[in-house]
Amino acid sequence: MRNGFRYQGALQPADPITSHAAQPAVELQHVARRFGAVEALAGVSLNVRRGEFFSLLGPSGCGKTTLLRIIAGLDLPDSGNVRIGGVESLRLPAWKRPVNTVFQSYALFPHLCVSENIAFGLRMKRQAAKDIVRRVAAVMDLTQITSLAGRHPHELSGGQRQRVALARAIVNEPAVLLLDEPLGALDAKLRKELQTELRQLQRRLGTTFIHVTHDQDEAFAISDRVALMHAGRVAQLGTPEDLYEHPKTRFVAEFIGSCNSMEGKFFSRSGALLEVDTPLGRLQVELPSTAIELAERERLHVGIRPERISLEGGSAGDNRFLGKVEAIVSNGPESHIQVRAGQTLLNVVELNSGRRSVGLFVGDSVEVSLPPANLFLMED
């Protein structure tokens, strides 16, 4: 058994990792990279745990692909350190690192059939012919492409080519599989189907996956943890739920879904309950322990997700005020409602299946509620 695989004619689920469980699969320490005047990475430090599905998320130019290439050995940092499986890896060439990369373009050899593409890396390592045949058959079965063994890349659909690229990487038993937007070239429906397959595959293998994407929905659907990057830095690292429910900055809040935000000024605090003066009036904000350090800053930003706003007035302890409906747009399962209160325009989202604002029209007055537990504080 090597790197979580047990070959017995077919690939079996990986055993739980019991030894060296605290040892990260990948450690990045103060990794910096410049391209001329452009600072692509500004001292990034993070650890990727063994056996997790980890995503690097962010807009174009944020540094996520540069970071992936440095892990792969396809680029070198100007400073900092990279450890893979506890081993110093900066001096190791790409072909000696225990990683494999799946690119968005798939990079399949057009003159080789599917089984030959998958076997290529094993042949380069001079593996025994019988072992190659067995391992290629096992990984084709795992990725559900056995029936495509004799076809060439030009005879395959985008989803089939993606599976072949995955199989070619997995068959080499990497300690870490790197995925550079592997679903980016697919249509929306197929992309969602393969997200589920990719997640299930990672769970069966127990291999560490590091995945690069600019798509928030994709990262949230398949990841154990997400590092949201911005301008060469990690803006926030955590579970998808952490990033959505407790964004630390306005950039995080606005990149991860939709957010209503407003400036505020500290008024008072009693335990975890903060009072903030805002353009809407004085709002009470219930703070989690992780945000207490933000509480008494002179300048604050208060946020709330559109689906966490109520148009039924709420309870006595909620922040309540009157507003006027400016727009209602039905978007299939949801209704998007714009409500103006004074100079502040709030976006509200309600599910149509349980919509409480049926019969609401543009121009109507509504009582808006912003529950203190649904509000959060953000840095600039």
Side-chain angles (χ1 to χ4, degrees):
M1 177 177 170
R2 290 181 292 170
N3 298 326
F5 286 100
R6 187 196 296 112
Y7 284 97
Q8 295 176 343
L11 286 173
Q12 303 294 326
D15 290 333
I17 297 171
T18 55
S19 61
H20 309 293
Q23 177 69 57
V26 176
E27 301 167 81
L28 302 174
Q29 300 171 333
H30 310 294
V31 174
R33 184 73 171 101
R34 299 188 68 92
F35 298 98
V38 177
E39 187 177 46
L41 295 172
V44 172
S45 295
L46 58 85
N47 290 345
V48 179
R49 299 166 185 159
R50 288 192 178 192
E52 79 172 330
F53 202 125
F54 188 94
S55 284
L56 297 169
L57 172 67
S60 297
C62 70
K64 57 189 185 295
T65 297
T66 299
L67 198 59
L68 195 79
R69 287 176 57 82
I70 286 173
I71 297 170
L74 302 175
D75 193 10
L76 291 174
D78 296 315
S79 61
N81 195 21
V82 177
R83 294 170 64 90
I84 302 175
V87 176
E88 301 279 349
S89 300
L90 280 184
R91 296 181 183 276
L92 291 178
W95 60 276
K96 282 192 174 182
R97 298 190 186 192
V99 304
N100 272 101
T101 306
V102 178
F103 299 98
Q104 182 176 347
S105 64
Y106 312 133
L108 301 178
F109 298 113
H111 61 290
L112 299 180
C113 69
V114 166
S115 61
E116 291 168 338
N117 262 284
I118 296 170
F120 182 81
L122 298 177
R123 291 202 172 99
M124 292 298 99
K125 294 178 180 178
R126 301 186 182 279
Q127 299 289 311
K130 289 174 65 175
D131 189 40
I132 292 174
V133 170
R134 177 167 50 86
R135 290 168 63 174
V136 169
V139 81
M140 285 195 298
D141 181 62
L142 183 69
T143 51
Q144 302 175 19
I145 56 173
T146 301
S147 63
L148 307 177
R151 295 190 191 180
H152 286 74
H154 72 274
E155 300 174 294
L156 305 176
S157 68
Q160 290 168 338
R161 287 196 294 271
Q162 192 259 4
R163 288 187 179 93
V164 175
L166 278 170
R168 187 176 62 179
I170 292 167
V171 80
N172 289 299
E173 303 180 30
V176 180
L177 186 64
L178 307 176
L179 303 144
D180 188 8
E181 304 213 39
L183 309 182
L186 305 178
D187 62 72
K189 183 174 183 295
L190 182 57
R191 187 169 182 157
K192 286 192 175 296
E193 291 174 1
L194 290 181
Q195 285 172 11
T196 301
E197 289 187 17
L198 196 59
R199 178 61 167 170
Q200 292 172 344
L201 176 65
Q202 190 270 338
R203 280 289 181 255
R204 291 197 298 269
L205 294 174
T207 303
T208 304
F209 279 27
I210 302 179
H211 170 246
V212 161
T213 182
H214 64 274
D215 187 322
Q216 171 229 315
D217 291 337
E218 181 173 297
F220 275 32
I222 61 181
S223 306
D224 295 309
R225 289 192 304 153
V226 176
L228 176 57
M229 298 189 66
H230 178 54
R233 294 174 170 83
V234 176
Q236 189 167 339
L237 170 62
T239 66
E241 182 181 9
D242 287 338
L243 269 63
Y244 188 79
E245 300 292 348
H246 307 294
K248 292 182 178 179
T249 68
R250 283 193 294 166
F251 168 77
V252 175
E254 292 166 4
F255 191 89
I256 305 295
S258 180
C259 178
N260 297 286
S261 63
M262 63 198 86
E263 288 193 16
K265 186 176 181 181
F266 172 80
F267 178 76
S268 68
R269 176 186 159 200
S270 176
L273 197 64
L274 185 71
E275 287 191 309
V276 182
D277 285 325
T278 75
L280 285 177
R282 189 163 295 159
L283 299 180
Q284 291 188 324
V285 183
E286 187 176 314
L287 297 177
S289 59
T290 54
I292 293 296
E293 70 276 8
L294 295 177
E296 298 186 16
R297 292 191 179 190
E298 183 175 350
R299 188 165 174 259
L300 302 168
H301 288 276
V302 181
I304 188 168
R305 298 294 185 185
E307 71 276 11
R308 301 297 171 83
I309 298 176
S310 170
L311 298 182
E312 286 198 334
S315 62
D318 290 345
N319 304 293
R320 295 184 292 178
F321 52 90
L322 290 177
K324 185 176 182 179
V325 176
E326 288 204 348
I328 303 175
V329 177
S330 180
N331 182 19
E334 300 174 340
S335 283
H336 295 250
I337 305 163
Q338 289 188 333
V339 178
R340 184 171 294 279
Q343 298 301 311
T344 302
L345 186 64
L346 294 171
N347 292 307
V348 183
V349 173
E350 289 191 350
L351 289 175
N352 287 333
S353 59
R355 185 176 163 191
R356 293 165 290 188
S357 55
V358 174
L360 197 64
F361 298 96
V362 173
D364 286 352
S365 294
V366 290
E367 189 174 19
V368 182
S369 172
L370 308 180
N374 293 348
L375 292 161
F376 48 80
L377 297 184
M378 303 169 288
E379 300 175 15
D380 283 340

